[in-house]
Amino acid sequence: MKKTVQVLMVDDHPFILQAYKNTLDRYKPEDYHIVETTADSGKTGYEVITGSDTIFDVAFLDISIPTYDEKGIESGIDLAKLLREKMPECKIVLLTMHTEKLKFRFFADTIQPEGLVVKNDLTFEELLIAFEQILEGKNYYSETVQKMMQEEQN
């Protein structure tokens, strides 16, 4: 029997959301049924998290998204905090174009995401590797994130 995995994807670029969906649909289709829910802003992300009966297993959150000022959602970080509060078992993967060391440390310390990925590192294969590691209970940090964190320790 296939295992169902509920995935939330928040990104303001429709092409990126479709690429994630197309990639995850290829992940071990004989073993997994991936159910994707998408949102394209802080507002739609907030509404999905607070207004749905779905308990998400994994969330891919772009850090830079249109804000939802009425609810204090300024970024994917705020959605991640909301998810931690509402669905503490959800595994969070933050995706960013930012490569500043301070941001990585802030993201890691604030949210403690199971995954932290610089979009420039992302390929279809890399997304599948990250997804598999997250499902196995491991953390996943893309190559650029690993390099920046190592440099910070030196």
Side-chain angles (χ1 to χ4, degrees):
M1 187 157 127
K2 290 185 181 186
K3 178 174 174 34
T4 297
V5 180
Q6 294 285 346
V7 178
L8 172 63
M9 299 179 286
V10 181
D11 196 297
D12 58 327
H13 296 95
F15 181 81
I16 299 292
L17 289 172
Q18 191 61 49
Y20 292 161
K21 183 179 181 335
N22 291 346
T23 303
L24 294 180
D25 284 346
R26 295 183 359 212
Y27 180 73
K28 298 185 179 180
E30 64 284 351
D31 297 328
Y32 290 92
H33 174 62
I34 310 296
V35 179
E36 297 103 347
T37 301
T38 61
D40 62 3
S41 66
K43 183 179 192 303
T44 57
Y46 179 88
E47 290 169 349
V48 166
I49 293 167
T50 60
S52 171
D53 291 335
T54 302
I55 303 296
F56 294 104
D57 299 300
V58 179
F60 289 93
L61 306 175
D62 184 11
I63 290 172
S64 299
I65 56 172
T67 63
Y68 185 27
D69 296 331
E70 293 86 344
K71 297 294 182 178
I73 304 296
E74 296 179 8
S75 68
I77 296 291
D78 293 319
L79 290 179
K81 290 176 184 175
L82 183 63
L83 272 169
R84 285 283 187 237
E85 181 183 310
K86 301 262 183 207
M87 301 175 203
E89 299 300 313
C90 181
K91 297 173 184 336
I92 295 173
V93 180
L94 296 175
L95 299 116
T96 184
M97 293 298 292
H98 301 286
T99 56
E100 301 92 15
K101 289 181 219 173
L102 290 175
K103 288 199 180 281
F104 289 139
R105 180 56 53 208
F106 173 76
F107 300 153
D109 291 346
T110 306
I111 303 301
Q112 298 176 341
E114 284 75 15
L116 187 51
V117 177
V118 172
K119 286 184 177 182
N120 288 342
D121 293 342
L122 206 54
T123 63
F124 293 115
E125 291 76 25
E126 200 69 18
L127 181 61
L128 290 173
I129 291 167
F131 189 62
E132 182 166 55
Q133 286 191 7
I134 299 295
L135 287 180
E136 291 175 355
K138 300 174 188 168
N139 288 346
Y140 179 84
Y141 297 112
S142 71
E143 185 177 338
T144 300
V145 174
Q146 291 178 39
K147 283 181 185 174
M148 293 284 194
M149 290 184 149
Q150 283 174 348
E151 286 174 14
E152 192 175 271
Q153 291 175 351
N154 294 334

